[in-house]
């Protein structure tokens, strides 16, 4: 990628102001006060007058170094890494850090609770697995190091982000934590009559609800469930926790059971809650759930009940229709196929066997739909389709859905390929997404560790973090903001409300290590520490003395 040309194009973009460019975007409706407020403070875009992360930066080039590399003018602090003690009880930060969500304490931008997902374990947390079989100790560690961490963090007087290990809120949620099951599968035969489930694991991405709780998504759960001798139907759901309440732990079956990547929550024009979700598997579908009831801000956390009753839909990209995944629809689609119909007796069966049901009713198989985000400017929906070598989509793409009348509750839509991965764009295999207040889309990539720096992936080098304007003359042009350590991916980008800090996870550095005495990565390079450690970092800007 020619970064000099892209930089000039990018500067021409930022020089016009976010609001003016947003108006130029195809299909964009009237901008709300949030956008106008963002444009009125757009002076941050010119130089380093503030340390707002989403301001001006000089794009970096791809790298193969075992470092987290940022543009000139930015720094990072390692807040918590695998095995760090997080609270007075001595609980330890998990492995496989993924999604982040920041919950301010008393409205602060510099102190709050950070929810971090732990997707899976690796050789540095549970050791090498011999002959493909875990020991009893490894099975226990595997459950412990997955799940979630709630930690309290703050920025000190020197501008360094730290973890408060004395926090009353800090805790682990993992494969041993008891959850309440809600929705149509609760207590059904599909779940063995269970109303509760042991633990959560394979926690990939997530989301924040309109009532200020965190949603976490169980993705590749099958192996852990099997080796732990736990019922597989108790996993693959969307989990809800309240960072401020240790007793609030739910799994919402109405949102379907599949390899969940994340959730993106918004409101339909009539006030119903809408949740978009991706299924991170090759030839899997895109979903949205629309609640039966309407959101009432005054009810606070009680709005969670909206996730227990509603309709789950699957996208048919050929017709531009959202198709309901209901018992009647499944049975009609399976007419004459007694063996299939026998699987589906209740709506609980439908949501439990959601992947099969969605294809039966006409869902379109797609290319690993991972993160989904709703644009805060125009209600268009962005989907990271990471890749699918089953039919030649090697570098993936980002799809943009336009709901009819800009209504998230609509059942008709159109779509475009917003950006395609490949040499021409400078990125491959898009994964997590997040918007900033200037309308830019921040994208992390997920080239597998076994493919990095090889073959058609060679030019991209290590995984990266990119910024892509969603409107204006630089629409769709990817500018690289960060490069990841060896054999890692960067996940879970999440801004503080003032955007002066970007939280980012560094997942599975050195995961191809076969000899613990010769790790392929030692990031974060702690003195005397031979291990690579998954971690969450805080990225912020600093003045260059100009």
């Amino acid at each position: 990628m020619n970064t000099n040309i892209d930089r000039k194009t990018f500067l021409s973009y930022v020089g016009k102001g976010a609001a003016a460019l947003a108006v130029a975007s195809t299909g964009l409706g009237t901008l709300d006060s949030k956008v106008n407020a963002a444009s009125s403070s757009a002076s941050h875009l010119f130089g380093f007058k503030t340390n707002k992360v989403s301001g001006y930066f000089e794009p970096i080039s791809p790298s193969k170094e075992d470092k987290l590399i940022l543009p000139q003018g930015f720094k990072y602090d390692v807040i918590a890494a695998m095995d760090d003690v997080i609270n007075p009880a001595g609980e330890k930060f998990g492995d496989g850090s993924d999604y982040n969500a920041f919950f301010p304490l008393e409205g602060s931008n510099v102190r709050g609770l950070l929810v971090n997902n732990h997707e899976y374990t690796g050789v540095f947390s549970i050791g090498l697995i011999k002959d493909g079989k875990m020991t009893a100790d490894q099975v226990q560690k595997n459950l412990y190091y997955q799940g979630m961490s709630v930690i309290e963090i703050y920025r000190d007087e020197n501008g360094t982000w730290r973890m408060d290990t004395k926090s009353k809120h800090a805790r682990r949620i993992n494969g041993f934590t008891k959850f309440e099951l809600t929705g149509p599968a609760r207590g059904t035969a599909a779940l063995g009559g269970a109303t509760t489930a042991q633990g959560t694991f394979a926690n990939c991405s997530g989301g924040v609800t309109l009532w200020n709780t965190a949603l976490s998504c169980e993705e590749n759960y099958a192996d852990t469930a099997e080796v732990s001798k736990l019922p597989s139907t108790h996993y693959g759901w969307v989990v809800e926790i309240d960072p401020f309440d240790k007793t609030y732990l739910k799994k919402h079956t109405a949102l379907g059971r599949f390899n969940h990547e994340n959730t993106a929550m918004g409101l339909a024009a009539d006030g119903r809650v809408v949740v978009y979700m991706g299924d991170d598997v090759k030839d899997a579908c895109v979903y949205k759930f629309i609640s039966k009831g309407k959101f009432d801000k005054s009810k606070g956390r009680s709005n969670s009940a909206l996730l227990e009753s509603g309709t789950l839909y699957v996208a048919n990209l050929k017709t531009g229709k959202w198709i309901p995944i209901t018992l009647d629809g499944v049975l009609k689609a399976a007419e004459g196929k007694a063996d299939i119909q026998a699987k589906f007796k209740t709506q609980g069966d439908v949501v439990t066997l959601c992947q099969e049901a969605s294809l039966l009713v006409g869902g379109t198989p797609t290319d690993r739909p991972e993160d989904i985000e709703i644009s805060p400017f125009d209600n268009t929906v962005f989907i990271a389709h990471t890749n699918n070598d089953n039919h030649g989509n090697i570098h993936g793409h980002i799809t943009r859905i336009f709901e009819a009348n800009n209504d998230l509750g609509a059942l008709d839509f159109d779509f475009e390929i917003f950006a395609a991965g490949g040499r021409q764009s400078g990125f491959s295999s898009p994964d997590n997404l997040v918007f900033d207040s200037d309308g830019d889309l921040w994208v992390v990539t997920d080239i597998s560790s076994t493919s990095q720096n090889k073959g058609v992936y060679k030019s991209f080098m290590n995984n990266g973090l990119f910024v892509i304007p969603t409107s204006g003359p630089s629409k769709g042009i990817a500018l690289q903001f960060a490069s990841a350590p060896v054999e890692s991916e960067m996940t879970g980008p999440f801004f503080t409300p003032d955007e002066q800090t970007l939280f980012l996870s560094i997942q599975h550095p050195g995961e191809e290590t076969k000899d613990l005495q010769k790790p392929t990565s030692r990031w974060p390079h702690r003195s005397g520490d031979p291990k690579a450690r998954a971690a969450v970092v805080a990225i912020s800007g600093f003045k260059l003395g100009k």
Side-chain angles (χ1 to χ4, degrees), residues 100-147:
N100 294 291
F102 179 74
F103 293 80
L105 283 165
E106 299 179 354
S108 173
N109 287 297
V110 297
R111 181 176 280 271
L113 301 185
L114 188 73
V115 174
N116 182 262
N117 278 354
H118 302 296
E119 187 176 2
Y120 51 81
T121 58
V123 296
F124 300 108
S125 56
I126 69 170
L128 293 166
I129 299 173
K130 296 180 180 180
D131 302 321
K133 186 176 182 179
M134 287 187 187
T135 65
D137 180 61
Q138 286 177 318
V139 170
Q140 296 297 298
K141 287 181 176 178
N142 190 44
L143 289 172
Y144 180 82
Y145 280 103
Q146 294 185 69

Side-chain angles (χ1 to χ4, degrees), residues 67-68 70 76-82 93-102 114-120 147-149 151 203-206 431-432 434 443-446 463-465 482-485 487-495 501-509 523-524 533-539:
K67 297 179 180 178
L68 172 54
L70 304 173
Y76 72 88
D77 305 311
V78 177
I79 300 175
M82 184 269 293
F93 198 68
D95 199 2
S97 288
D98 202 296
Y99 178 70
N100 294 291
F102 179 74
L114 188 73
V115 174
N116 182 262
N117 278 354
H118 302 296
E119 187 176 2
Y120 51 81
M148 308 170 72
S149 287
I151 59 175
N203 301 77
C204 192
S205 190
D431 189 342
N432 296 151
V434 68
V443 182
V444 292
T445 61
D446 183 13
N463 277 310
L465 168 61
S483 177
E487 295 170 2
S488 73
E489 58 175 304
M490 295 176 289
T491 58
F494 198 98
F495 289 104
T501 299
L502 172 66
F503 300 109
L504 192 67
S505 291
I506 309 300
Q507 189 180 73
H508 59 68
W523 190 91
R533 298 179 186 271
V536 59
V537 303
I539 297 172

Side-chain angles (χ1 to χ4, degrees), residues 331-394:
L331 293 178
K332 182 177 180 181
E335 284 180 358
K337 301 176 181 178
D339 57 331
I340 295 177
Q341 287 189 327
K343 297 180 183 180
F344 298 98
K345 300 297 185 184
T346 67
Q347 185 63 22
D349 297 326
V350 172
V351 295
T352 303
L353 303 174
C354 190
Q355 288 166 316
E356 183 176 356
S358 65
L359 294 175
L360 281 170
V361 300
T364 301
T366 67
D367 298 339
R368 288 185 60 200
E370 292 210 52
D371 210 309
I372 302 179
E373 296 295 334
I374 303 166
S375 168
F377 302 98
D378 64 354
N379 268 3
T380 57
V381 180
F382 288 72
I383 306 169
H385 281 103
T386 297
N387 53 41
N388 189 345
D389 57 9
N390 283 351
H391 42 72
N393 188 356
I394 305 302

